[in-house]
Amino acid sequence: SEDRVPALGLKALFVQHTCKMAGGDSKDSRETEPKKNCAELKKMYEACFREWYTDKFLRGDKTPACLDEWESYKDCMIDSLKKKNLGHLVDS
């Protein structure tokens, strides 16, 4: 539902794991650049989520937060998969 706060759910973890596997250990900058960008977005989302969880949720405020950060991170991961021809893993 819309009143739920997004968390790093199973699908997102799968997407993240799959993206890492698809990139392998290659040092090609074309492959590492999206991961760096997504990693930064992930850090931003996690920082926002931790702050919301400790400062608001645990005190009873369940107002959704961090939606923009979540969408940016999710979109980055999906784009990264699509660039590796793995978009079918996340298509609805």
Side-chain angles (χ1 to χ4, degrees):
S1 78
E2 289 184 36
D3 58 337
R4 287 187 3 198
V5 173
L8 206 53
L10 291 177
K11 186 173 181 179
L13 288 173
F14 174 76
V15 169
Q16 179 185 10
H17 178 70
T18 304
C19 185
K20 284 181 182 179
M21 289 178 60
D25 292 329
S26 173
K27 300 297 181 195
D28 186 338
S29 64
R30 291 172 294 157
E31 292 182 12
T32 58
E33 188 60 34
K35 284 194 249 180
K36 287 181 184 176
N37 184 37
C38 291
E40 187 60 35
L41 291 171
K42 179 179 184 248
K43 286 179 188 177
M44 291 171 57
Y45 168 72
E46 287 176 340
C48 180
F49 184 85
R50 275 191 301 275
E51 182 179 334
W52 170 84
Y53 184 76
T54 56
D55 295 346
K56 295 186 179 180
F57 181 80
L58 292 178
R59 295 183 178 150
D61 183 353
K62 296 180 182 173
T63 305
C66 308
L67 299 176
D68 291 338
E69 290 86 348
W70 169 250
E71 287 298 321
S72 295
Y73 171 56
K74 181 184 74 169
D75 290 346
C76 182
M77 294 301 296
I78 291 171
D79 288 344
S80 182
L81 285 171
K82 287 181 179 180
K83 287 178 184 176
K84 295 175 171 109
N85 294 320
L86 297 171
H88 62 280
L89 297 174
V90 293
D91 288 339
S92 301

